Amino acid sequence: TRRSRDRHNTDLEPRYGRRLGWYALVRATKPRVIVETGVDRGLGTVVLAAAVARNAQEGAPGLVHATDIVPDCGHLLCEPYKSHCKIWLGDSVETLKKFPEPVDLFLHDSDHRPEYEWAEFLAIEPRLHAGSIVMSDNSQQSPKLREWANRAGRSFLYFQDQPRGHWWPGDGIGAAFVPGVKTVFQPGSAR
């Protein structure tokens, strides 16, 4: 962090906050294919990759596919986590439209304008299956995941983080899923 372009506007100590929820969800469901939009510094990407690495140690390998438009994004993403992640550079909506495989867990964390968030959901929708979990970071700012969940016949849950001793008031995780459908993705399991 001290050597990065963001050294003057970032915390030196990582503050994981809601990302701990991301970690717990990946550990619990063991997805093979995770797609995250918006790498930025890479803290969330590292958290996802750490969960995938732990899952792999337990016989449930996976890979985090993360998108960003900034070529030098992800300065926090280094080994041992980098080997559990692939960065796709370019516009996230266009990247999602071309994504080549089914997605177990999708996380919107890029451009938080409601219309862009909606465009990402529509772009990834053909790659989703009944057990896919769709998440949105900063769901306190936009109703788009809840609207998409209603349109797609999925349930919606919201979790609010509340940082202690920090100037930021907190963000929220939204999650959309099909109730009653298996959402544990282990090697050899049917989707």
Side-chain angles (χ1 to χ4, degrees), residues 21-22 25 105-109 117 121 133-137 139 145 173-176:
W22 304 1
L25 189 62
L105 191 146
F106 172 73
L107 171 63
H108 160 79
D109 190 19
E117 182 178 11
F121 296 145
I133 299 168
V134 178
M135 297 171 52
S136 179
D137 192 47
S139 279
L145 180 56
I173 304 169

Side-chain angles (χ1 to χ4, degrees), residues 17-184:
R18 69 202 171 280
R19 293 174 192 92
L20 294 175
W22 304 1
Y23 181 88
L25 189 62
V26 171
R27 291 286 291 131
T29 62
K30 300 188 180 354
R32 288 183 294 263
V33 178
I34 299 170
V35 175
E36 173 202 23
T37 61
V39 175
D40 193 28
R41 295 174 184 106
L43 182 59
T45 310
V46 168
V47 168
L48 293 170
V52 166
R54 187 79 182 270
N55 289 349
Q57 290 172 354
E58 297 171 357
L63 188 65
V64 178
H65 299 266
T67 69
D68 208 298
I69 58 172
V70 179
D72 64 344
C73 66
H75 68 265
L76 295 174
L77 187 62
C78 54
E79 293 302 344
Y81 310 108
K82 192 173 187 173
S83 60
H84 297 280
C85 184
K86 178 179 179 179
I87 303 292
W88 300 65
L89 290 175
D91 176 79
S92 62
V93 172
E94 294 307 312
T95 301
L96 296 175
K97 287 178 182 177
K98 298 173 192 168
F99 194 75
E101 58 187 305
V103 174
D104 296 326
L105 191 146
F106 172 73
L107 171 63
H108 160 79
D109 190 19
S110 64
D111 183 338
H112 292 297
R113 290 175 299 150
E115 60 273 13
Y116 200 84
E117 182 178 11
W118 185 258
E120 283 191 357
F121 296 145
L122 295 181
I124 199 64
E125 195 171 48
R127 308 302 178 278
L128 302 176
H129 52 83
S132 296
I133 299 168
V134 178
M135 297 171 52
S136 179
D137 192 47
N138 302 87
S139 279
Q140 79 286 353
Q141 294 177 341
S142 166
K144 290 304 177 184
L145 180 56
R146 183 174 36 85
E147 291 173 9
W148 179 84
N150 287 338
R151 180 183 154 280
R154 294 174 181 246
S155 290
F156 173 80
L157 292 176
Y158 176 77
F159 306 90
Q160 176 70 41
D161 77 331
Q162 297 175 339
R164 187 179 316 153
H166 196 269
W167 59 268
W168 184 251
D171 288 315
I173 304 169
F177 60 97
V178 177
V181 172
K182 182 180 177 182
T183 55
V184 176

